[in-house]
Amino acid sequence: MKRGVQIVLWLLVAGFLVILPQLATTNYLVNVMITTVMWIIFALSFDLSAGHVGAVSLGHPVFYGVGAYVTALVAPSLGLDFIGSLLLSAFAMGLLALVSGIAFFRISEVSFAIGTLGALIIAQLLANNAYDITGGPMCTQNVPRPVLHIPGSGPVTVVEPVHYYYLLLPLLGLAILIYWRLTQSRIGRAFAAVRQDEVRASAMGIYPKRYKLLAFIAGAAIIGALGSFQAQYITVVCPSELTISYTLNLLIIVFVGGAGSMRGVILGAVLFSLLPRLLEIVTDVPPAWQQLIYGLILLIVIRFLPEGLDSLIERALQRLRGTRTEAKPDAA
Amino acid sequence: MPIEVVIFIEHIINGLTLGAFYALITLGLSLIFGVARLVNFAHGDIFMVGGYTLFLLLNLSGITLPYPLIVVLVVVVTALVGLLIERVVIHPILNRSWRVQAVATLGISIVLQNLALILFTSDPKQTPTIYSRQIIEIMDIRISVQRLIILVAVIFIFLALQWFVKHTQTGKAMRAVSQNREMCQIVGIDVPRIAMITFAISSGLAGLAAALMSPLFSVMPTMGSLLTLKALAAVILGGLGQVNGAFFAAFLLGLVEALFSGYVSYAYRDVVSFGLFVLILFVRPQGLFGRRVGL
Amino acid sequence: MQPERPPVLQIQNLTKHFLGVTALQDVSFELYEGELLSLIGPNGSGKTTLFNCVTGFLKIDGGRVLFKGEDISNLRPDKIALKGIRRTFQDVRTFPEMTVLENMLAAVQQHQEENLIARMLGTSRIHHLEHTATERARELLDMVGLDNVRHLEARHLSYGQRKLLEFATVLMPDPDVIMLDEPAAGVSGEMVTHMMNHILNLNRQGKTILLVEHNMRLVMDISQRIVVLDYGRKIADGLPRDVRMDEKVREAYFGH
């Protein structure tokens, strides 16, 4: 019964997301939707390791930016199409996460966070300075757009934002599915064990490194695919895709929304993407003010809502269910 | 003296000054980590606050304050800012995980940088002092007096800190807390108070670095970001929480950076310092001077 | 000590140094099946170090550890745990944000042979395993008197309750050897008796137990054999009453 309700709820959400662009009157609104969905995917992939195994990879955008570069620089020469490029970037980033993870997970949690951040800085500096390969600050231009082969008609090049939106939705579905299956199964319990006490987890036969790697690689593959999407959507890849401000935004989204909670992370990403757009309608807020407000919100949430905004939802839901739980007191 | 030798010595001196500067930033960061197990991502931004304080004090309308007094004032202001941050943000979450605390300091960093952006715009501000243009020449080697001041000041601060930690009540408590926090709580040392004092000292050191170093650079809202990371790299290389190790690692970083940008490539100098950092992490996970700890 | 029983755990010439300081020097003894052996010694005598060496948390510098005849020296802690040696920690370790029941289930997380794919897909076999595990967890929780708080997060438990929970979790996979590091340390008098009774009952059911304790009196009555460590060396090994009379032991403990 309860499972049935859940499925219906998910189907409703999916249906809503499919219909949504039909309500959008301008490309601007569709772009806002695309950005929102991208931030959801970005944040979910980050939260897999930061929120669940406790490995705060401050260099997470590396997988996004390098994933984008892989699609821009390597995929065309291999003659890969949209999905092929996505898979290539996802695979390459998964592999990069495996190799770097084996090295990075030997060091302490603190060193891991700062070491990965160091890696992000290196990646951006390299992208900026290796003109011959990346074009440096001039960016890698003219990334091919996706071409769809629809039976019956010729190949169609995707240009319209709406169509990009529909290409992005399955990626969101996949990200949610992977996140859900990893964190809600017994693996999720091992994740929690590793995060809460690595030593004790080892004493119970759980090998911490395996689970850290699993979360790290899954997150990297997802975000690598998103980087590939971004490259084929904007058709330009710049060193700014490797910026540290992505890391800051991820931290704001995840820690304001609620680390380790899918609902919280999605909520955080939606608020983060939509709030400035909503503010724009009322008044013109300069970026510096926007960031300042985000910073303050982050500090306030950390101080007063340790589990993020998600804890508010949780409390509200519990109040709704209140009567039911009380009617069924714990017999044992 | 042959010109190659002169250039080499000048690079070394540049490296030492840069190292001294990094060391000053690193000292504070390492102290906080040692005492409060706090990774303070806002440390470089407190340095930035010091830079703007210097800028304001140098441009007071009507009065010209002597530079030493300005330095003292900058230190006092940054120490107070640090104290305020500790009281308002850090203190209430002292018992939460290091992750949450680190994210909170990133929040502070976002707030400070954007506040500076709003108040001062992103235009670099120059903060020349009478010493930054003065150059002394010894056997063809030209050094700016400002650089010499930094070198001398850092060595002095390092020795003073050693003395403070060994001979004062508070200093001894700081050392005790960084060695065994639980035990200190049991014996009745007021750990939160020690953490607060450490935060103020550390912020004051960042202010000192700003007052001494900004005249050679310029003051910008983002001047602290990369610096925080380099200093954190030095803290880790030094063996997390080992103040002396971090101090020497910072000098090493400064020397490597100066020599590399002098002889190989200026554009890639930061790639090298961070590359070196990540590489050393892989080879020696416990840092250059750190010991591997057991359970 | 019945000679016909085979040794489950053999510790042979175990040596461990910390930065030049010898923590363990040539320590050897055997743990026989069904035995309740207590490892005692003054603070800093190397008891916990020995625990950490046997369970893989510390690298051994010399000697070896055999489990059922197999060399397990310097294996990874999780591998040793899965072979059937489970331990508790002196400074109580529970997963603070998990409920009591989840803490129990996490103990058999890896116990069943199953692969990652099967777990991701959540096959029905997994559901079955989960069901049996939950039943066993509740039985054990009932035994230590924690079943009524099974939905409470572990961080809300009292210190004594957490000790009991940790004790119960090591029993979850029905291990061959149970290693308890000062299970009575820091708990109230009543709880000490409670805990000691549990340990004794467990041993009567045939469980092999290695107990670390620095309070000699506590273990005198329940142990079948006692090994005494002092400054990282074994100074006595025998029946409780013999050990109590031993000159070297008295010296180590009382300094005369």
Side-chain angles (χ1 to χ4, degrees):
Chain A
M1 217 302 276
K2 221 180 141 211
R3 208 186 164 89
V5 173
Q6 246 179 20
I7 292 173
V8 170
L9 217 64
W10 276 111
L11 285 176
L12 278 177
V13 170
F16 172 70
L17 287 174
V18 170
I19 297 169
L20 199 57
Q22 307 304 327
L23 305 173
T25 44
T26 61
N27 272 346
Y28 170 76
L29 286 179
V30 179
N31 278 321
V32 170
M33 283 189 267
I34 291 178
T35 319
T36 309
V37 172
M38 285 179 74
W39 273 116
I40 295 175
I41 299 174
F42 212 152
L44 284 176
S45 70
F46 173 69
D47 189 52
L48 265 181
S49 48
H52 288 278
V53 290
V56 187
S57 166
L58 295 178
H60 191 60
V62 165
F63 299 118
Y64 177 71
V66 178
Y69 273 115
V70 166
T71 283
L73 299 171
V74 184
S77 57
L78 297 175
L80 292 173
D81 60 356
F82 174 70
I83 292 181
S85 306
L86 235 59
L87 288 176
L88 175 72
S89 287
F91 179 77
M93 291 310 98
L95 200 66
L96 183 62
L98 173 69
V99 175
S100 59
I102 287 173
F104 269 124
F105 285 126
R106 289 171 60 226
I107 60 188
S108 73
E109 283 181 342
V110 173
S111 306
F112 174 83
I114 297 160
T116 52
L117 192 53
L120 176 65
I121 307 273
I122 295 173
Q124 191 181 16
L125 288 168
L126 285 178
N128 246 321
N129 287 302
Y131 306 100
D132 305 340
I133 305 167
T134 62
M138 305 302 293
C139 307
T140 305
Q141 310 273 349
N142 302 323
V143 181
R145 288 180 179 277
V147 177
L148 297 182
H149 298 277
I150 299 154
S153 66
V156 183
T157 306
V158 178
V159 181
E160 288 298 311
V162 184
H163 299 144
Y164 274 106
Y165 176 81
Y166 284 119
L167 286 179
L168 182 59
L169 271 193
L171 198 59
L172 174 68
L174 199 65
I176 289 180
L177 189 72
I178 292 175
Y179 185 97
W180 184 257
R181 284 316 312 169
L182 279 179
T183 58
Q184 292 304 306
S185 58
R186 288 162 60 89
I187 299 176
R189 195 154 56 219
F191 280 174
V194 170
R195 182 186 73 241
Q196 291 174 34
D197 191 336
E198 236 177 89
V199 170
R200 179 164 155 81
S202 304
M204 290 186 158
I206 296 168
Y207 183 40
K209 207 186 235 176
R210 179 187 300 145
Y211 290 94
K212 286 180 170 183
L213 273 176
L214 181 63
F216 195 52
I217 292 170
I222 293 172
I223 204 57
L226 190 74
S228 168
F229 172 85
Q230 159 82 3
Q232 300 179 71
Y233 170 43
I234 307 293
T235 72
V236 173
V237 180
C238 298
S240 59
E241 300 299 351
L242 290 156
T243 164
I244 190 171
S245 54
Y246 281 157
T247 305
L248 295 179
N249 293 345
L250 285 175
L251 290 171
I252 292 170
I253 291 174
V254 167
F255 281 83
V256 169
S261 143
M262 180 156 88
R263 193 173 50 199
V265 170
I266 292 177
L267 177 74
V270 171
L271 285 180
F272 176 83
S273 322
L274 295 188
L275 222 52
R277 303 289 92 80
L278 290 174
L279 274 176
E280 267 170 16
I281 302 170
V282 191
T283 167
D284 193 28
V285 185
W289 279 99
Q290 228 179 69
Q291 286 293 317
L292 181 71
I293 293 168
Y294 280 150
L296 288 173
I297 292 177
L298 178 65
L299 290 178
I300 292 168
V301 170
I302 284 183
R303 171 77 174 80
F304 297 102
L305 286 173
E307 325 259 295
L309 293 177
D310 184 53
S311 56
L312 288 182
I313 303 180
E314 187 63 46
R315 247 176 268 169
L317 281 178
Q318 262 171 15
R319 203 164 300 160
L320 276 177
R321 291 195 204 113
T323 44
R324 245 196 302 171
T325 8
E326 269 160 30
K328 252 203 302 180
D330 222 310
Chain B
M1 229 194 292
I3 186 75
E4 288 82 12
V5 179
V6 171
I7 289 176
F8 177 73
I9 292 175
E10 280 182 358
H11 282 323
I12 292 282
I13 291 171
N14 279 344
L16 286 177
T17 346
L18 200 60
F21 166 53
Y22 289 162
L24 207 47
I25 298 291
T26 303
L27 267 183
L29 213 47
S30 178
L31 277 178
I32 300 185
F33 184 85
V35 171
R37 290 285 172 271
L38 177 78
V39 183
N40 182 14
F41 282 101
H43 195 64
D45 303 293
I46 294 171
F47 163 77
M48 179 266 296
V49 170
Y52 279 107
T53 312
L54 175 73
F55 171 72
L56 291 178
L57 289 173
L58 284 173
N59 293 291
L60 284 179
S61 56
I63 4 165
T64 314
L65 297 174
Y67 182 56
L69 177 63
I70 290 183
V71 172
V72 172
L73 285 176
V74 171
V75 172
V76 171
V77 169
T78 46
L80 287 177
V81 169
L83 207 59
L84 184 74
I85 290 173
E86 203 282 335
R87 284 287 96 185
V88 177
V89 184
I90 306 299
H91 189 79
I93 56 169
L94 222 45
N95 290 324
R96 306 267 297 278
S97 80
W98 76 268
R99 278 172 223 126
V100 173
Q101 294 174 354
V103 173
T105 64
L106 276 164
I108 297 165
S109 167
I110 296 171
V111 169
L112 288 179
Q113 278 187 32
N114 287 288
L115 215 52
L117 200 58
I118 291 165
L119 291 174
F120 299 99
T121 74
S122 58
D123 300 335
K125 300 275 189 285
Q126 303 305 322
T127 52
T129 67
I130 43 165
Y131 305 105
S132 52
R133 299 271 155 73
Q134 261 180 38
I135 296 213
I136 49 169
E137 216 179 296
I138 314 163
M139 300 166 68
D140 301 334
I141 300 161
R142 294 160 56 85
I143 317 162
S144 92
V145 175
Q146 193 76 35
R147 285 183 189 274
L148 281 182
I149 294 177
I150 291 164
L151 266 174
V152 173
V154 168
I155 292 165
F156 173 75
I157 288 289
F158 183 70
L159 295 176
L161 209 61
Q162 299 280 339
W163 179 86
F164 177 74
V165 165
K166 285 195 183 104
H167 297 283
T168 64
Q169 211 54 36
T170 313
K172 283 183 201 167
M174 275 168 62
R175 195 162 63 158
V177 172
S178 65
Q179 276 162 2
N180 192 336
R181 209 167 165 185
E182 287 71 32
M183 196 50 83
C184 285
Q185 269 156 344
I186 293 167
V187 233
I189 292 177
D190 187 351
V191 177
R193 197 183 72 94
I194 299 297
M196 183 183 78
I197 294 171
T198 311
F199 211 96
I201 293 177
S202 147
S203 303
L205 289 177
L208 180 65
L212 298 179
M213 203 66 185
S214 324
L216 291 175
F217 303 141
S218 44
V219 176
M220 285 184 291
T222 52
M223 69 197 278
S225 315
L226 209 58
L227 189 63
T228 308
L229 286 178
K230 279 185 192 166
L232 280 172
V235 170
I236 292 174
L237 289 184
L240 274 170
Q242 304 211 341
V243 176
N244 296 359
F247 188 79
F248 290 112
F251 265 100
L252 194 69
L253 215 59
L255 273 175
V256 168
E257 213 170 278
L259 289 175
F260 188 85
S261 54
Y263 285 108
V264 190
S265 152
Y266 185 75
Y268 282 97
R269 74 191 189 286
D270 287 335
V271 177
V272 166
S273 35
F274 284 111
L276 197 70
F277 160 57
V278 173
L279 206 72
I280 293 176
L281 265 188
F282 288 166
V283 184
R284 274 184 73 84
Q286 69 274 40
L288 284 176
F289 309 103
R291 292 194 214 108
R292 200 182 270 279
V293 281
L295 264 184
Chain C
M1 196 174 23
Q2 283 118 325
E4 70 267 22
R5 290 174 180 173
V8 188
L9 198 64
Q10 291 163 276
I11 291 157
Q12 299 176 340
N13 305 98
L14 198 62
T15 300
K16 174 75 193 170
H17 307 285
F18 285 119
L19 305 161
V21 181
T22 305
L24 290 173
Q25 182 72 51
D26 266 329
V27 176
S28 303
F29 64 89
E30 271 105 45
L31 179 67
Y32 292 92
E33 204 178 312
E35 193 177 26
L36 200 172
L37 171 68
S38 289
L39 187 62
I40 65 169
N43 279 326
S45 56
K47 304 178 303 277
T48 297
T49 304
L50 184 131
F51 250 46
N52 287 336
C53 285
V54 170
T55 48
F57 285 96
L58 285 176
K59 289 269 168 284
I60 296 169
D61 294 326
R64 56 181 194 159
V65 180
L66 303 183
F67 174 62
K68 293 177 173 172
E70 180 194 353
D71 192 346
I72 58 161
S73 319
N74 290 336
L75 277 186
R76 252 174 25 213
D78 55 295
K79 289 197 167 159
I80 293 175
L82 290 184
K83 285 193 183 293
I85 302 176
R86 288 294 171 113
R87 67 168 295 184
T88 63
F89 293 88
Q90 208 176 87
D91 52 331
V92 192
R93 283 175 182 261
T94 53
F95 298 122
E97 291 160 38
M98 286 191 200
T99 65
V100 168
L101 186 62
E102 282 169 342
N103 261 283
M104 295 293 283
L105 295 176
V108 287
Q109 187 74 36
Q110 309 292 314
H111 201 60
Q112 295 91 354
E113 333 87 65
E114 41 175 310
N115 57 38
L116 282 176
I117 305 289
R119 260 184 287 161
M120 257 192 99
L121 299 175
T123 55
S124 63
R125 208 177 89 79
I126 299 298
H127 284 302
H128 175 70
L129 286 172
E130 193 82 359
H131 184 73
T132 4
T134 309
E135 274 183 358
R136 174 160 175 81
R138 294 200 51 187
E139 266 168 40
L140 290 168
L141 287 175
D142 196 40
M143 180 187 93
V144 296
L146 289 177
D147 195 47
N148 55 340
V149 290
R150 67 181 182 278
H151 293 305
L152 213 61
E153 282 185 9
R155 63 193 163 129
H156 298 307
L157 298 182
S158 71
Y159 187 82
Q161 281 177 315
R162 275 186 290 150
K163 281 232 136 164
L164 285 172
L165 172 60
E166 198 189 15
F167 174 68
T169 53
V170 299
L171 305 181
M172 264 307 273
D174 197 15
D176 297 311
V177 173
I178 298 167
M179 297 174 59
L180 304 170
D181 196 349
E182 301 207 13
V187 297
S188 66
E190 197 187 332
M191 194 70 107
V192 172
T193 327
H194 198 46
M195 187 64 101
M196 287 301 156
N197 278 332
H198 280 312
I199 295 169
L200 198 55
N201 280 333
L202 212 57
N203 179 241
R204 288 199 179 122
Q205 289 161 25
K207 289 274 127 202
T208 315
I209 300 170
L210 180 60
L211 183 66
V212 155
E213 184 55 60
H214 86 268
N215 186 340
M216 201 185 341
R217 269 180 311 159
L218 266 183
V219 296
M220 277 303 158
D221 302 332
I222 62 168
S223 311
Q224 286 145 22
R225 191 158 59 98
I226 288 180
V227 169
V228 189
L229 289 184
D230 189 31
Y231 291 110
R233 289 165 197 275
K234 186 170 93 167
I235 55 167
D237 181 348
L239 297 175
R241 61 185 144 86
D242 298 337
V243 166
R244 204 200 316 247
M245 290 299 132
D246 192 290
E247 212 33 59
K248 273 188 281 182
V249 176
R250 299 180 74 93
E251 196 168 309
Y253 262 89
F254 310 111
H256 57 73

